[in-house]
Amino acid sequence: MSDYFKNKVVAITGGSSGIGKALVEQCLALGAKVATCARNQDKLYDLQIQHSSSPLHCVVADVSNYNDCKLFIESTIQQFGGIDVLINNAGISMRSLLKDADPGVFRKIMDINFFGTVHCTKLALQSIIERKGTIVGVSSIAGYRGLPGRSGYSASKFAVNGWLEAIRTELMDDGVNVMWVCP
C-alpha cells in the first residue's frame, strides 16, 4: 500500500488545516504529487513554504464557488497532467438550534459541504475516469444520524453520503472507486 501513492496526482480540497492539511502532508510523504485548495491564502502560503521542495500545487479557492472549483481542478490537471485521486475534504459545521439559526447558514453549509463536493467531482470526473481513479468524500457520522444543534451540518453530510453512494454505482463500470469516510 505504501507504493500506491507514489507519483499519483492527489487533489485535496480544504488542505490548509485539520484533516486536509494532514492528508496533504501524508500524501506528499508517500510520494504523491499533491494539489490543494483553501480559502485562506496565508495558510496555503505557509504550507507551500513548508513543502517548497515537494510537488505541491496550491490554489486559493472557495469550493462553494463553481468558478473557484474550476480554477482548482483545471490548474491541477495543467500542472500535473491529470488527477488520480480527488479527496473532497473542504467543509464547515454549525452549532445552533433550529429556532436560533440564521436561515442563510443552511445554504452556506450546503454550498460548501455538498455542492463543493459535486462541483469538484464533476469537473475532475473525465480525468478520474481516464485514470480509473478514486473519488473520496470526507463526511461525518452526522451523515448517518442527525445531531441536535447541527441540523444543517447533518443534512449536508446526509446529502454527501447519498450522492456518493449513487455515483459509486454509476461509475463502477468505468473502473472508478468512490468512497466516503466518516471520522
Side-chain angles (χ1 to χ4, degrees), residues 31-157:
K33 299 171 188 173
V34 177
T36 192
C37 69
R39 294 176 294 177
N40 189 310
Q41 183 174 357
D42 292 338
K43 287 183 179 181
L44 282 176
Y45 178 78
D46 291 344
L47 188 66
Q48 189 81 58
I49 295 299
Q50 182 183 353
H51 298 283
S52 60
S53 63
S54 300
L56 176 62
H57 174 63
C58 295
V59 176
V60 176
D62 178 343
V63 298
S64 70
N65 180 305
Y66 178 82
N67 289 328
D68 282 8
C69 293
K70 188 173 182 181
L71 172 66
F72 172 57
I73 297 301
E74 288 181 354
S75 68
T76 298
I77 292 169
Q78 183 177 5
Q79 178 80 21
F80 295 127
I83 297 173
D84 296 292
V85 179
L86 172 63
I87 303 175
N88 292 290
N89 168 72
I92 60 170
S93 189
M94 69 172 287
R95 292 186 195 279
S96 178
L97 297 176
L98 175 60
K99 65 182 178 182
D100 302 322
D102 176 344
V105 169
F106 295 98
R107 166 121 7 239
K108 184 175 181 180
I109 288 172
M110 289 301 288
D111 283 346
I112 293 171
N113 295 1
F114 177 66
F115 286 108
T117 297
V118 171
H119 296 321
C120 288
T121 300
K122 177 68 173 152
L123 289 161
L125 188 59
Q126 189 58 44
S127 183
I128 291 170
I129 289 171
E130 288 169 5
R131 292 168 172 245
K132 300 202 180 305
T134 299
I135 299 164
V136 181
V138 177
S139 186
S140 169
I141 200 72
Y144 292 104
R145 290 280 177 231
L147 302 177
R150 291 180 169 216
S151 60
Y153 178 74
S154 291
S156 73
K157 294 303 185 172

Side-chain angles (χ1 to χ4, degrees), residues 88 114 117 121 135-139 159-169 178-181:
N88 292 290
F114 177 66
T117 297
T121 300
I135 299 164
V136 181
V138 177
S139 186
V160 167
N161 292 354
W163 185 73
L164 289 170
E165 185 174 359
I167 69 166
R168 181 179 193 184
T169 304
V178 179
M179 61 184 288
W180 50 102
V181 294

